[in-house]
Amino acid sequence: GFLRVPEADLLAAQDGGGLEPSGKPTLEELIAHVRAMDGSLPIGPVVDGEVYPWTVEEGMRAGAGQQIPLVVGSTTQEFGGIAVANKHLFEDGEVQHLLEQVGLSPQAARRFAATLQDHHQAEVVGQYVTDLMFRRRIVDWLDLRGEGAAPTWAYDFAWPSAVSGVAEHCLDVPFIFDLLGDPDVTRVAGPEPPHVLADQIHAAFAG
């Protein structure tokens, strides 16, 4: 049965969950990969009507958790590294055209590009991926909480990793829990992540 399948085989079958293209992608492959993202993660909780009765939005509309204080947030460039790690592929691209290729209308592409005029094309496309997959949901959830909800806080973790150069997916976690001494943190954050920042963030969450 499922329990007998080795962990390594399960991870290989997931192929990273489809979140990042494998190998050395071409620009066309990256564009297709980003375009295929519809705002939902390929690996996540499954709504079964019992253990997990609703989507987050459905539950919030029904008032679930309204009486419980909530902290919600993301890193600034959650999935931006998908594009930023391949900056060289975007050098010759016109940013509005690139945004249209990944799914934005010409009007939306023009407005989005205008908000990030001083950024590299890859950074703009990467920010679109992050906004599509994460940040727009935070805004929606805050709206759904309403004025009668328990205290609600939102955060934006912007410190860039010394490894990737971006504030990427899950980089906030070791700072929130003040676990910069964990060996795996160096792999994603670099050899000297700022302990002062971890102390401040952990104190804000724990306080």
Side-chain angles (χ1 to χ4, degrees), residues 28-182:
E28 291 72 24
E29 290 171 337
L30 270 176
I31 292 295
H33 186 80
V34 172
R35 191 178 182 90
M37 292 182 173
D38 61 358
S40 61
L41 295 171
I43 298 176
V46 175
V47 176
D48 64 355
E50 184 176 350
V51 176
Y52 196 71
W54 315 288
T55 65
V56 174
E57 289 82 0
E58 291 168 346
M60 294 183 85
R61 288 192 185 97
Q66 285 285 90
Q67 76 284 7
I68 302 172
L70 174 69
V71 180
V72 60
S74 71
T75 64
T76 302
Q77 298 142 313
E78 288 277 355
F79 283 178
I82 295 173
V84 174
N86 296 280
K87 263 189 177 183
H88 62 285
L89 297 177
F90 293 83
E91 295 290 350
D92 297 327
E94 195 277 320
V95 67
Q96 182 176 331
H97 178 61
L98 290 167
L99 290 170
E100 291 176 25
Q101 285 185 295
V102 298
L104 285 174
S105 69
Q107 296 82 1
R110 184 167 56 253
R111 292 197 304 269
F112 195 90
T115 66
L116 297 168
Q117 293 184 38
D118 299 328
H119 291 70
H120 190 278
Q121 301 97 308
E123 294 173 340
V124 178
V125 172
Q127 194 60 55
Y128 166 70
V129 177
T130 291
D131 290 358
L132 173 69
M133 300 295 290
F134 288 87
R135 293 165 70 84
R136 71 182 179 92
R137 296 190 181 281
I138 294 170
V139 176
D140 292 343
W141 294 344
L142 292 175
D143 286 341
L144 288 171
R145 285 285 280 183
E147 295 182 0
T152 305
W153 298 268
Y155 73 88
D156 175 23
F157 184 86
W159 181 80
S161 164
V163 178
S164 66
V166 297
E168 62 191 334
H169 185 53
C170 286
L171 186 61
D172 50 341
V173 174
F175 287 85
I176 291 170
F177 290 97
D178 201 4
L179 292 173
L180 298 189
D182 188 283

